[in-house]
Amino acid sequence: MNRKTFVLALSFFVLTLVLFGTVVYFAYARPASVDWFDILFAGGCVCAAALMVRNEYKKKKRRHLDEVNPHKIP
């Protein structure tokens, strides 16, 4: 797991959750101002961000060249 890209994906996930929360709030507070496409778009962004976080968490940590035996072919 690369920490930098994981933090970036996690921050994107949090931002999309905030976006989805505001869209749902305005859908109930002012139903005329929010269309079904807005809710669908925000939900799709949340799903994409969740998959990005999952993908970054499942990645194996890469080793540096100085840690790897140069005579052993992987």
Side-chain angles (χ1 to χ4, degrees), residues 2-46:
N2 190 353
R3 278 188 247 164
K4 291 179 183 177
T5 55
F6 180 73
V7 168
L8 184 66
L10 194 62
S11 64
F12 181 65
F13 179 65
V14 169
L15 285 174
T16 56
L17 279 177
V18 169
L19 171 72
F20 186 72
T22 56
V23 167
V24 168
Y25 170 74
F26 280 114
Y28 285 116
R30 300 177 193 156
S33 65
V34 177
D35 196 15
W36 62 271
F37 180 74
D38 297 329
I39 297 172
L40 186 65
F41 180 74
C45 286
V46 169

Side-chain angles (χ1 to χ4, degrees), residues 49-64:
L51 289 174
M52 284 173 56
V53 170
R54 183 183 154 270
N55 186 30
E56 288 299 324
Y57 183 74
K58 293 275 185 177
K59 280 186 179 177
K60 291 183 180 179
K61 184 175 180 178
R62 295 182 180 174
R63 295 187 295 176
H64 291 283

